[in-house]
Amino acid sequence: MTRFLSNTLAAGLLLVGGQALSAPPPAYKQEVVVAGSPFQGVHGLALDGKGHLLASNLLGQSVHSIDLSNGAVSTLVGPPLGGADDVALGPDGSIYWTGFFSGQLMRRTPEGKTRVIAKDLPGLNSLAFRRDGRLYVTQLGRGADVLSEVDPNGRKPPRKILSGHGFLNGFEFGPDDRLYGPLLMKGQVVRIDVDAGTLEPVAQGFAMPVAANFDASRENLYVLDSVLGQLVRVRVATGEKTVVAKLPTGLDNLTVGPDDQVYVSNMVDNDIHVVTPADGSIRKLVEARLSVPSGLALAPDDPDENLYVADVYALRRVGGRDGKISQTARVLSSRMTFPMHVSLGAKHVVLSSAYLAAVQVLDRTSGEVLRTIPNTNGVQGVLELADGTLLVAEGTTGRLVRVEAAEAAGSTVLTEGLEGPVGLVADTEAKEPGVYVTEVRSGRVTRVRLSDGARSTVAKGLKAPEGLARHPDGGLIVAEVGRKQLVRIDPATGRSTVIASGLRIGLPESGGFPPGYIPTGVAVGQSGTIYLSSDMESALYRFVPESAPVTGKAQP
């Protein structure tokens, strides 16, 4: 079947109920709103010495190779094995990478054989080889703050060296065989004797240092400050600091070439820059426009159909008609926590994040974070009702929780027993107000009555339904991720009709996330145009009814 329904397809395809709808839906034309990227937030970097840059892609679960001559990106290891926060090259040419969510250390030999070297290391983050071939890794977050030595061949268990030191991130061994790296929580760059298990400061006064590597002389460190967006040169002997270049905030990692070219990854902008320290010049090696687009929302009364995009590392506004992007907030440099879902209330933007286990309420005008509500139960979709009450779908527990507008009032369980709830959309104008929920595990769309939590099945037989939105005609638009398609469901009959198929949606689920992983977002404008996020492509698409074309030109 083609990627979208052709204008000759009159009646649609039925998945539930077995009968045609009384009025066939329109045919849709698929268009690009924002073009994609090879990454879903790029992180660790390493040079292979053969004209290529290795790059790790944590949420995209892949390891990539980038041709330094032209920026072309190829995939070395795809999902699910390639979930890498950092990457390094071993003495024999093997590639090693750390699985932050999986807790696994992986190795790919020059012959292409991939296997697990170590496991059960939650928050596995950075890694580096010593000159003698010994391998060291850190665990950072997810309840861990540990530096360990790991057998590169996986024959011996990891040996803990330090713990509770303040989140040691991207590091490198110096000419003195000491480990040099930043402590995120202390704003320091330190030197660690891995044999004695001791550390001492080298430089201080950073906002959030995230990575440090030596220059060719081995006398200076280049340090990234993620919050300030700075590349800083530190003279090791004195701790003297010099800002070499100013970059966008959200910097994640770096590596330095033999010619002192510094390659810098930015997870928020999903791109890689090359900095020439001699003159501070900056050029892009790999560009992107979105990072990890997931949840979508737009105001039903907005004629321009401006979308709020939960881009995991940022909250962005995207013009649905022209694809122009404006920044609303970026992680690390703001109080916002890695948004994966977004919904709109009359005065608020509500975000939820399974990544950092929180729900946040933002002022819709100023963007100020008004309230942060921790939730470690795999929070997925979230809605704000007219009275300020929040409804939160807990993907891990299968509950729909009501969080009162008054913080002191706490929360109550509206219903439980849902099988991987992900998407939510309100049905509050009905005689008995309720909310529709997609259940990614059961393949159902369920309606939950707000008065008592009673549940009724609207549609079943779907495969991994995630994103959910209400069409102006009352129909439900669902991203059916398991079949890579977009469907319309009649809430009165449960009948389902395919709008588009063959879509690039649905990364494999990853450990540490609730059912649904990175949700595929759906939103519908008053024109009837349907918007869809693609996690696999880091892109944004629209599906325009052929009877009502969208004006404006999308951005490449």
Side-chain angles (χ1 to χ4, degrees):
M1 184 173 178
T2 59
R3 191 166 181 175
F4 53 87
L5 288 182
S6 71
N7 56 9
T8 61
L9 187 54
L13 300 177
L14 298 182
L15 298 180
V16 181
Q19 297 180 3
L21 297 174
S22 57
Y28 287 84
K29 180 181 179 182
Q30 181 177 344
E31 299 177 345
V32 176
V33 180
V34 179
S37 162
F39 310 126
Q40 287 79 21
V42 62
H43 298 277
L45 303 174
L47 290 163
D48 71 354
K50 300 177 182 178
H52 295 86
L53 179 69
L54 305 177
S56 59
N57 181 358
L58 177 61
L59 292 179
Q61 305 174 50
S62 52
V63 179
H64 302 273
S65 176
I66 303 162
D67 190 323
L68 294 178
S69 67
N70 57 19
V73 180
S74 57
T75 300
L76 294 177
V77 183
L81 293 178
D85 191 87
D86 200 4
V87 60
L89 205 65
D92 68 344
S94 291
I95 301 170
Y96 292 77
W97 64 94
T98 53
F100 180 83
F101 296 111
S102 68
Q104 294 181 338
L105 177 65
M106 305 294 296
R107 177 187 180 186
R108 180 181 187 266
T109 66
E111 296 75 34
K113 183 179 180 180
T114 299
R115 70 184 185 93
V116 178
I117 299 300
K119 58 184 180 179
D120 300 324
L121 299 171
L124 192 59
N125 194 283
S126 297
L127 75 167
F129 279 90
R130 196 162 146 173
R131 285 185 297 177
D132 59 6
R134 294 161 69 183
L135 176 59
Y136 296 81
V137 302
T138 54
Q139 293 167 255
L140 188 161
R142 302 184 74 79
D145 182 14
V146 179
L147 170 65
S148 302
E149 181 181 358
V150 177
D151 180 2
N153 297 307
R155 299 188 184 102
K156 301 176 183 178
R159 179 178 67 90
K160 185 184 295 185
I161 296 169
L162 284 174
S163 62
H165 42 269
F167 286 4
L168 178 66
N169 206 19
F171 48 75
E172 186 179 33
F173 278 92
D176 56 359
D177 262 355
R178 302 294 192 265
L179 188 64
Y180 289 78
L183 299 182
L184 270 72
M185 305 306 292
K186 295 185 177 180
Q188 298 177 335
V189 172
V190 298
R191 174 172 40 230
I192 299 175
D193 185 328
V194 295
D195 295 318
T198 58
L199 64 80
E200 58 180 335
V202 173
Q204 306 187 61
F206 296 94
M208 184 180 285
V210 291
N213 273 194
F214 279 90
D215 67 0
S217 74
R218 311 292 283 174
E219 295 178 355
N220 302 297
L221 281 167
Y222 287 113
V223 180
L224 290 182
D225 192 318
S226 186
V227 167
L228 298 181
Q230 294 178 345
L231 175 64
V232 181
R233 182 169 49 234
V234 174
R235 185 162 180 78
V236 174
T238 64
E240 177 188 359
K241 298 187 299 181
T242 304
V243 176
V244 173
K246 186 73 172 68
L247 296 147
T249 62
L251 307 176
D252 188 83
N253 217 316
L254 83 166
T255 191
V256 184
D259 56 359
D260 273 349
Q261 295 279 294
V262 183
Y263 300 86
V264 179
S265 65
N266 188 312
M267 64 182 180
V268 175
D269 292 327
N270 201 19
D271 59 19
I272 299 172
H273 288 87
V274 184
V275 180
T276 302
D279 58 10
S281 61
I282 304 168
R283 65 178 176 87
K284 281 189 178 180
L285 179 63
V286 180
E287 296 188 67
R289 301 192 64 238
L290 293 173
S291 185
V292 198
S294 49
L296 303 177
L298 60 80
D301 57 351
D302 179 4
D304 295 323
E305 299 188 358
N306 291 297
L307 291 142
Y308 287 79
V309 181
D311 204 16
V312 180
Y313 299 109
L315 174 63
R316 307 188 201 269
R317 296 291 303 278
V318 178
R321 297 181 181 276
D322 59 16
K324 291 182 179 178
I325 298 175
S326 60
Q327 300 288 344
T328 301
R330 300 164 71 90
V331 300
L332 302 184
S333 56
S334 74
R335 294 170 53 209
M336 188 185 65
T337 58
F338 297 87
M340 302 181 78
H341 284 269
V342 58
S343 64
L344 299 179
K347 296 181 179 179
H348 301 135
V349 178
V350 185
L351 307 174
S352 60
S353 175
Y355 197 143
L356 215 60
V359 173
Q360 290 189 308
V361 179
L362 282 62
D363 184 279
R364 190 164 156 182
T365 302
S366 68
E368 178 187 358
V369 176
L370 304 176
R371 188 180 180 190
T372 297
I373 305 157
N375 187 311
T376 58
N377 295 324
V379 59
Q380 288 279 22
V382 61
L383 286 177
E384 183 181 44
L385 302 180
D387 62 358
T389 299
L390 301 177
L391 294 178
V392 179
E394 294 182 347
T396 302
T397 65
R399 305 187 308 185
L400 187 60
V401 175
R402 187 196 301 267
V403 180
E404 303 302 329
E407 294 189 39
S411 62
T412 56
V413 176
L414 177 61
T415 193
E416 53 191 340
L418 299 169
E419 297 181 42
V422 175
L424 295 178
V425 68
D427 185 29
T428 52
E429 296 180 359
K431 182 178 179 181
E432 293 186 320
V435 60
Y436 294 103
V437 187
T438 54
E439 298 181 53
V440 71
R441 287 285 187 265
S442 69
R444 292 191 298 257
V445 175
T446 299
R447 190 180 190 276
V448 179
R449 194 162 58 198
L450 294 180
S451 60
D452 58 4
R455 303 199 307 269
S456 57
T457 298
V458 175
K460 60 184 179 179
L462 301 169
K463 189 174 181 180
E466 291 184 2
L468 178 65
R470 196 77 182 266
H471 194 281
D473 67 7
L476 298 175
I477 308 299
V478 179
E480 191 183 8
V481 172
R483 293 191 173 100
K484 310 292 185 186
Q485 60 189 19
L486 190 64
V487 300
R488 180 192 183 276
I489 294 173
D490 185 334
T493 65
R495 294 166 184 162
S496 177
T497 307
V498 175
I499 292 171
S501 61
L503 302 174
R504 294 277 292 164
I505 56 176
L507 284 168
E509 291 188 3
S510 176
F513 279 90
Y517 187 40
I518 298 172
T520 296
V522 178
V524 185
Q526 61 180 215
S527 68
T529 297
I530 301 168
Y531 297 91
L532 178 81
S533 63
S534 168
D535 54 356
M536 295 180 70
E537 293 184 331
S538 295
L540 185 61
Y541 293 97
R542 66 186 173 211
F543 298 84
V544 184
E546 294 198 346
S547 59
V550 166
T551 59
K553 185 178 180 181
Q555 299 294 303

